[in-house]
Amino acid sequence: MEVVGSYLMDQVLKMQWLSDLVTMLVGAFGLDVNSQWGGTIHFLIYDTVKIVILLCVMIFIISYIQSYFPPERSKRILGRFKGIGGNIVGALLGTVTPFCACSSIPLFIAFTRAGLPLGVTFSFLISSPMVDIASIILIMSIFGPHVALIYTVVGLVIAVAGGTVIQHLHMDDQVADFVRGEAVDAVQAETMTKQERATYALGQTAETFKKVFPFILLGVAIGALIHNWIPQDIVEAVLGDGNPFAVVLATLIGAPIYADIFGTIPIAEALFGKGVGLGTILAFMMSVTVLSIPSLTMLSRVVKPKLLATFVGICLIGMIISGYVFNWLQPLFV
């Protein structure tokens, strides 16, 4: 069972097979994926294809299922996910989806299209790239169970709080119209054949793809540039121990960097070894995984500026406060 779970995690969700295939393709042209240019090309191809596959598959499945459910029925069924309980469900769902921020956006679109409350989908969007089971285990193996527990709790609290605030602000009108998709009326939902439902789902998938794809390319290109061309030493040099603004700087510096949680852990380990505060490290890791420029570039096509700014503001405030609190409490945990 453990082998099956590991296989699904690596080959289906993370698409390791695709990464290996792109590695061979890059190598066939005489480039090493560990070099700057080889790594850049690998990043561009792998992340673009992975996100496109995820986007198209999820939108098709959700749209096909949605063809059976007119808006009234969807709202009635999904209406149970309300209040803080729904936000907790959304945040916990994020812990079992090992996606980076960019890869989480297609699921965010799919969940929103399915009729889930906006606060629930944002709790998922915050939690998914920040906290997942595999990363928790890895953090535990490097920093110990106390740090892993702290990171998980902080991540879930920010996700639940962020989704709750967004829900209470009633910003449903700040989601791009194409995200909602074309509704199926009650009569049509009852009479459509399977072929018609598949055609409807393909149409919704194609429409969403056309709207989002240019931003996928732009986001991945920015990510490839940052991921392979900004030296790690620059990041480490600014976050020295004793700097009262280290948490704020860590959060702001982390935001432009594009990496999943696994990519941030080696940096976090190096920072921790050089005496950087635990809270500073947590703020940095969260900022990298949730607020990267590539993911925000893609998200800007999905939500309107007011909602995007609210999302960024909530995350920044939550991360900075958490960073200072856990720097203060660090003697109790380490």
Side-chain angles (χ1 to χ4, degrees):
M1 192 68 180
E2 183 178 346
V3 174
V4 174
S6 177
Y7 177 84
L8 291 174
M9 183 79 71
D10 294 336
Q11 301 300 328
V12 178
L13 294 177
K14 294 183 181 178
M15 300 187 196
Q16 184 60 45
W17 59 271
L18 177 61
S19 178
D20 295 339
L21 183 62
V22 176
T23 298
M24 289 190 293
L25 177 64
V26 172
F29 286 90
L31 292 173
D32 183 356
V33 294
N34 294 315
S35 67
Q36 285 183 312
W37 281 110
T40 300
I41 294 173
H42 180 280
F43 193 103
L44 284 169
I45 299 175
Y46 168 63
D47 269 57
T48 300
V49 175
K50 179 183 70 172
I51 292 171
V52 166
I53 290 174
L54 184 60
L55 174 72
C56 292
V57 170
M58 290 303 301
I59 296 301
F60 179 85
I61 292 173
I62 291 294
S63 297
Y64 188 90
I65 295 172
Q66 191 180 29
S67 71
Y68 287 92
F69 298 92
E72 296 79 10
R73 188 187 302 175
S74 297
K75 290 179 180 178
R76 186 170 62 250
I77 294 173
L78 297 170
R80 69 190 68 177
F81 296 103
K82 289 183 177 179
I84 195 169
N87 297 114
I88 292 173
V89 170
L92 291 176
L93 180 61
T95 65
V96 296
T97 52
F99 300 123
C100 65
C102 288
S103 299
S104 298
I105 291 175
L107 274 79
F108 166 79
I109 296 174
F111 291 154
T112 303
R113 177 164 291 180
L116 286 173
L118 189 63
V120 175
T121 59
F122 265 96
S123 288
F124 166 81
L125 186 63
I126 297 171
S127 172
S128 180
M130 189 188 299
V131 183
D132 69 71
I133 296 174
S135 67
I136 294 170
I137 294 174
L138 185 55
I139 291 173
M140 187 182 301
S141 69
I142 295 174
F143 299 106
H146 293 92
V147 175
L149 178 61
I150 291 169
Y151 183 85
T152 303
V153 170
V154 171
L156 291 176
V157 168
I158 292 175
V160 172
T164 301
V165 171
I166 288 174
Q167 190 65 44
H168 282 292
L169 291 176
H170 303 292
M171 305 182 75
D172 295 75
D173 63 334
Q174 293 296 305
V175 176
D177 293 336
F178 79 88
V179 173
R180 302 294 183 185
E182 182 182 348
V184 180
D185 61 42
V187 175
Q188 185 182 11
E190 296 293 336
T191 59
M192 290 174 71
T193 64
K194 291 183 178 180
Q195 180 63 44
E196 289 172 335
R197 297 183 196 281
T199 301
Y200 163 78
L202 284 172
Q204 293 292 295
T205 303
E207 184 67 22
T208 303
F209 175 78
K210 286 189 293 184
K211 296 281 188 180
V212 175
F213 184 63
F215 288 82
I216 292 177
L217 288 179
L218 178 60
V220 172
I222 295 172
L225 178 66
I226 293 171
H227 186 271
N228 293 281
W229 296 89
I230 293 183
Q232 177 178 324
D233 293 344
I234 293 178
V235 178
E236 295 178 353
V238 184
L239 304 177
D241 188 28
N243 182 356
F245 301 104
V247 173
V248 176
L249 288 173
T251 307
L252 296 178
I253 290 172
I257 301 172
Y258 181 73
D260 60 18
I261 182 64
F262 301 100
T264 66
I265 289 176
I267 300 177
E269 185 177 13
L271 293 172
F272 192 68
K274 293 182 178 181
V276 177
L278 176 60
T280 305
I281 293 172
L282 293 180
F284 172 78
M285 293 173 68
M286 291 175 182
S287 180
V288 169
T289 54
V290 178
L291 296 178
S292 68
I293 288 178
S295 65
L296 294 182
T297 301
M298 292 176 57
L299 190 59
S300 68
R301 187 64 187 90
V302 178
V303 302
K304 298 177 183 178
K306 182 178 178 182
L307 179 52
L308 182 65
T310 302
F311 167 72
V312 172
I314 290 171
C315 290
L316 284 175
I317 292 171
M319 292 169 187
I320 291 172
I321 292 175
S322 298
Y324 279 113
V325 169
F326 283 104
N327 271 348
W328 179 58
L329 295 174
Q330 181 169 341
L332 301 177
F333 298 108
V334 180

